[in-house]
Structures are given as structure tokens and as C-alpha cells.
Amino acid sequence: MDFFDVVHTQRSIRRFKPDAVPDEAIWKMIDAAIRAPSGSNTQPWGWLVVRDEGKKRVLADAIRAGFEEGGRLQQMRENAAKIEDPTQRRMMERAVEFFGNVAAAPVLIIPCLVSLTSPVSNIDSLFAGSSIYGAVQNLMLAARAQGLGTVLTTFNIAHEDLLRREFGLPDNVRPVAVVPVGYPQGQRFGPTTRKPAETVTHWDGWGATRDR
Amino acid sequence: MDFFDVVHTQRSIRRFKPDAVPDEAIWKMIDAAIRAPSGSNTQPWGWLVVRDEGKKRVLADAIRAGFEEGGRLQQMRENAAKIEDPTQRRMMERAVEFFGNVAAAPVLIIPCLVSLTSPVSNIDSLFAGSSIYGAVQNLMLAARAQGLGTVLTTFNIAHEDLLRREFGLPDNVRPVAVVPVGYPQGQRFGPTTRKPAETVTHWDGWGATRDR
């Protein structure tokens, strides 16, 4: 696929066909991920690929339980039902369904930042992200280029202890995202819409925007 | 260009032709950047494009001065000269030259994280990077797809006050990188080499690597 077609049609996919994702497709995603730049080319990453149904279920149950606390998921469901615009309503219903059943994705990929020198507690600055989230973006674009859907989530934040325990993460390893992967069901890829580039591009000084 | 060709041949470019980079090429880079996912699709970014020679010079001088402190740049230069392998030596010499003259790049793009609710001091967690560094990667890939070289630097960390002052960044805006952009001089794009995917892919548990 053409590079710009891939970039302009990547969108968050939250409903997946049950079809298995072949090993070869996963290798191709990770081969793309690791081409991204990292500080001093240290490549400080690991890619945890989860297909085991039991392990996916443990994580998905914890995520659902988190959303159900204080009736939050039910509230979201009721709010979604009241949305008048059918496209908006369907999007919201799909998000609620997704939060309740993350294990429905055939694969979860959990990108991890790996420190060669520090315990994980020291890996917590905005700028450390420059050596991993570019690689995560390559991973997701390479999925799109193969017709696979992904969605970037940070469920890892609320469930780091569980991930650490369930997958045996060492002290110098920190999960930075949870990326469900699968063939899209009932959802098409983009083109996506965004705030126009003209409104977020500043020429030689903040606030100096202009038309093209 | 084919998507996978772009991804597998992106490499850090640190020497640039003096040729100007057309507006159209910059718009195309930013149009790609803003397609990346962000938390709740908030698109919390601004793209500061610096072509003004005076402003580039102020930043480049500060970067050089930072490296010259305690004779660091001279030491790096001497160390580089001692490297026996000619490829390694040239790479190191190029890095030293680059640190001393960042303004030689025709354009510097400074991606910024923009918070709608917080002063910038609160934007400092590893996970906040998930909403900006993927977009930075799109930006750099879109440069590569147009034959433009880039290199991801974090000179912003040591020079945030200067950037803030020189470019009038508001309190809710935080620079996350400094990306020089230009047509490569005497440097070719990849393919790049990396630690093999097999060594950094863990199947259903940390440490469970395997051949393909």
C-alpha cells in the first residue's frame, strides 16, 4: 500500500472478527515497529504478544471491573442510548461494548519500555516516551497496511500491577500501552478527519498560523 | 512510495543540503502527523516550524554552548578521530559536526504537547507521550516519503526556557522534541539494521521468545 494512504486511513478499530491473526502478520508489525528511532539507537523495547485466551480474559475482566466501579459502565451505556445522532450513538455504544470485552480481540500487543540501567520506577518522564511511542505508531501503521485494525489504549496505567504479575515483567520493564489487534468487523478504515493543519502549525513563533 | 519501504529506510539524517524545503512538503508532513491517534482524539498538539535564520541561530548557539561546556565537544571530536573503523568514525564525526551546527538544517520543526486544562508543569508523565510521539513519527515518515531527512532530538529538554522565551510558548504548551529537516547531503536512507524482532518479541509471557 502507498505510504500516505496507510497514514490517512488509520483509524481506531474496536470491533474485531474472531479470525486468528497469522504469526507472519505479527512479525511484520514488529519488524516495522523496531525501525523507529530511539535515543542513541538503544532500542529500549520489548513487545509482549498475548493470544492465550486465559490471560487475555484475566486482563479483560480487570478492565471491565474497573469500568464497572460505581456503575460507570452502565451509566455510559445509558448515556450512549440517549445520543440522537445515529453515527455518534453507534460509536459510543461500540466503545462501551469494547471496554466490557477487550478479550474479544484475537491478539493484544503490550509494548514495553525496557531500561538497561534503571528500575522501572525511574522510567517516568514525558521525554522517555520519545523512544517507544514512535515504534508503537509504526506497529499500528504496519497493521493497517495489512488490513488489520488496532486501537491505542492505556489500560496499562490502571492495571500495571496485574500486567506485571500475570506476564512476569521484570523490574526494568514498563508496559506503555495495550494494543488490541484483529481484522475489523463492521468498521471501515478512514480517511479520518482532524482539526486542519493550518490551525495547529505555527510559523517561526507560537500563534503565527496562516492559510496555505 | 510503498509503506514498508518508507518504514524500513527511515534513518537519522544529520547533514543537509542548503536547499529550501517547500511549504507544500511541510504541509504534507503535518497533514500526516495529525492523522496519528491521541487520547480520546483530543489532538493535543502544535507544530512550530522554524525557518527564520536568526531564531535558528539562537537555538543552535545554545545547543553548541551546552555541548562545549567543560570541553565536551572538543573531547568528542578527539574521541571520534581515534576510532579505527572508518564508517563508525565518520558517523561520530558527523554527530559532532551536527551538535555544533544545528542551524545548518534549513528547517527545525518543534512538536509541542498542548494541554487544554493544565499548566505545562503538569504535563510530565511517560504516558502523556502516547498522544504526541506517534504523531512525531508520522511527521518523520512523511518526510522520508518525500525524500527529506530528519533526526529526532530532545535538545528541547536542556533548552526549554530558551524555546519558551524565543517562540512565545504559552504555559499550557510543552516542546517535546526538536526535529531538523532537509534534503540529505552525503547520507543515504536505509535499510536500517536493528536487534532482530525475534529477540524482543515475547509470546504470552516475558522471556518467552522464539524463532519464527
Side-chain angles (χ1 to χ4, degrees), chain A residues 7-10 192-194, chain B residues 30-37 45 138:
Chain A
V7 165
H8 283 258
T9 62
Q10 178 199 11
T192 48
T193 52
R194 293 288 190 267
Chain B
I30 296 173
D31 275 334
I34 64 178
R35 260 66 206 181
W45 46 55
N138 272 11

Side-chain angles (χ1 to χ4, degrees), chain A residues 1-4 6-8 10 12 23-24 26-28 30-32 34-37 41-52 55 112-114 123-130 132-134 137-138 140-142 145-146 152 154 156-157 160 167-170 173-176 192-198 200-206 210-212, chain B residues 1-4 6-8 10 12 23-24 26-28 30-32 34-37 41-52 55 112-114 123-130 132-134 137-138 140-142 145-146 152 154 156-157 160 167-170 173-176 192-198 200-206 210-212:
Chain A
M1 266 186 81
D2 173 73
F3 168 76
F4 287 102
V6 171
V7 165
H8 283 258
Q10 178 199 11
S12 295
D23 279 11
E24 192 42 52
I26 294 173
W27 286 124
K28 212 163 173 180
I30 295 173
D31 275 334
I34 64 177
R35 259 66 206 180
N41 195 23
T42 45
Q43 309 169 50
W45 47 54
W47 307 87
L48 180 58
V49 179
V50 184
R51 294 199 283 201
D52 180 277
K55 293 195 173 188
C112 296
L113 192 58
V114 177
I123 312 176
D124 193 20
S125 98
L126 171 59
F127 307 120
S130 67
I132 185 76
Y133 286 115
Q137 176 62 3
N138 272 12
M140 295 171 65
L141 289 172
Q146 300 181 85
L152 181 59
T154 48
N156 54 293
I157 300 176
E160 184 164 326
F167 298 102
L169 304 184
V173 170
R174 186 151 208 207
V176 301
T192 48
T193 52
R194 293 288 190 267
K195 289 184 285 192
E198 292 87 334
V200 293
T201 306
H202 305 256
W203 299 84
D204 288 316
W206 197 263
R210 62 171 167 82
D211 291 339
R212 33 184 113 187
Chain B
M1 268 186 79
D2 174 71
F3 168 77
F4 287 101
V6 171
V7 164
H8 283 258
Q10 179 199 10
S12 295
D23 280 11
E24 191 43 51
I26 294 172
W27 286 124
K28 212 163 173 179
I30 296 173
D31 275 334
I34 64 178
R35 260 66 206 181
N41 195 23
T42 44
Q43 308 167 51
W45 46 55
W47 306 87
L48 180 59
V49 179
V50 184
R51 293 199 283 200
D52 180 277
K55 293 194 172 189
C112 296
L113 192 58
V114 177
I123 311 177
D124 193 21
S125 98
L126 171 60
F127 307 120
S130 67
I132 185 76
Y133 286 114
Q137 176 62 3
N138 272 11
M140 294 171 65
L141 289 172
Q146 299 182 87
L152 181 60
T154 47
N156 54 293
I157 300 176
E160 183 163 327
F167 298 102
L169 304 184
V173 169
R174 186 150 208 209
V176 301
T192 47
T193 52
R194 292 288 190 268
K195 289 182 285 191
E198 292 87 333
V200 293
T201 305
H202 306 255
W203 298 85
D204 288 318
W206 197 262
R210 61 170 167 84
D211 292 338
R212 32 185 112 187

Side-chain angles (χ1 to χ4, degrees), chain A residues 63-78:
Chain A
I63 291 168
R64 190 185 56 243
F67 278 106
E68 275 174 349
E69 249 171 51
R72 204 146 61 100
L73 203 60
Q74 181 57 25
Q75 189 59 56
M76 287 167 75
R77 200 172 283 123
E78 286 168 19

Side-chain angles (χ1 to χ4, degrees), chain B residues 52-72:
Chain B
D52 180 277
E53 287 299 328
K55 293 194 172 189
K56 277 198 301 170
R57 177 54 51 201
V58 168
L59 177 57
D61 286 352
I63 292 169
R64 192 186 55 244
F67 277 106
E68 276 173 347
E69 250 171 52
R72 205 147 59 101

